[in-house]
Amino acid sequence: MEIYYEQMGFGSPVLFLHSGFSRGILAFSSQILDFQRKYTCYFPDFRGHGRTRSSSLEWSTPQHAEDIIELMNHLQIPKAHLIGYGMGGGVALYCAVYQPHRVASLTSIGQSGFVASMGSEEFEPEWLLQHNNYDFIKSMEDRHLEAHQGNWQEFLRQKVKDWRTYPRLSNEQN
């Protein structure tokens, strides 16, 4: 699998880890100009998201963390600052728990390390169709077409499954 990412700026590496509904560069567009002045910024798309294709539409937060560590290996980044939003915060937490020597700092936005799935039913494909939420459906089709191969329903089922399952860190790991 090849992870799609965008890179800009110069300095210490910062990986921006997007939420489950966005793509790397889109989720952090407001931060790009400020951060690229002092840091080398990386905006990867997770497996099954944005422009990162994989042979399977199945993925999970822990698997994304493994992918991010592999991306760091590929880019020869021994240690990086991680900034995660939503699911990306969970991915950053898993990276920090299982590869702490690779994380210079961690900023988690909207993620605590515990499952918080209230409202997830409103993102199931059947619920969206029943409630005529076609704008959201269209945005998922557009943002992730390459990754989910046009199967937005399976993309959202996988997202809701991950949302209801992860992160599951122990009190000691948090």
Side-chain angles (χ1 to χ4, degrees):
M1 183 188 71
E2 293 181 20
I3 295 178
Y4 177 86
Y5 69 94
E6 297 191 41
Q7 174 187 341
M8 55 193 67
F10 300 97
S12 298
V14 178
L15 276 75
F16 290 85
L17 308 175
H18 62 79
S19 72
F21 297 115
S22 61
R23 291 184 357 208
I25 199 82
L26 296 177
F28 297 100
S29 59
S30 297
Q31 289 76 31
I32 292 172
L33 291 176
D34 291 332
F35 275 85
Q36 73 176 347
R37 291 183 185 132
K38 294 183 178 181
Y39 301 96
T40 302
C41 302
Y42 298 89
F43 301 90
D45 287 343
F46 293 129
R47 173 190 301 252
H49 294 74
R51 297 180 188 166
T52 297
R53 299 177 187 171
S54 63
S55 58
S56 170
L57 295 180
E58 293 184 26
W59 47 265
S60 68
T61 293
Q63 185 178 44
H64 290 325
E66 291 173 15
D67 291 345
I68 291 303
I69 296 299
E70 284 302 314
L71 177 64
M72 290 173 65
N73 291 341
H74 174 76
L75 297 172
Q76 299 179 353
I77 299 172
K79 188 178 241 184
H81 302 280
L82 303 181
I83 299 176
Y85 170 57
M87 181 184 71
V91 172
L93 289 169
Y94 272 86
C95 289
V97 166
Y98 294 108
Q99 296 280 327
H101 62 284
R102 305 297 299 272
V103 179
S105 69
L106 187 150
T107 302
S108 178
I109 305 161
Q111 184 57 260
S112 65
F114 298 101
V115 173
S117 61
M118 291 183 352
S120 62
E121 65 279 352
E122 295 179 16
F123 295 90
E124 293 175 352
E126 297 75 19
W127 192 95
L128 291 165
L129 290 168
Q130 183 179 16
H131 291 85
N132 301 315
N133 199 337
Y134 297 109
D135 289 341
F136 183 77
I137 291 169
K138 179 71 172 135
S139 72
M140 292 301 98
E141 288 177 329
D142 291 347
R143 289 180 184 177
H144 305 290
L145 180 62
E146 290 179 55
H148 63 52
Q149 305 153 18
N151 191 345
W152 66 270
Q153 297 98 334
E154 188 56 33
F155 169 79
L156 286 174
R157 283 187 192 95
Q158 193 65 39
K159 170 57 195 145
V160 170
K161 177 182 174 185
D162 189 75
W163 188 355
R164 291 175 177 161
T165 308
Y166 300 105
R168 281 219 170 128
L169 301 176
S170 68
N171 287 335
E172 295 78 32
Q173 292 173 319
N174 265 314

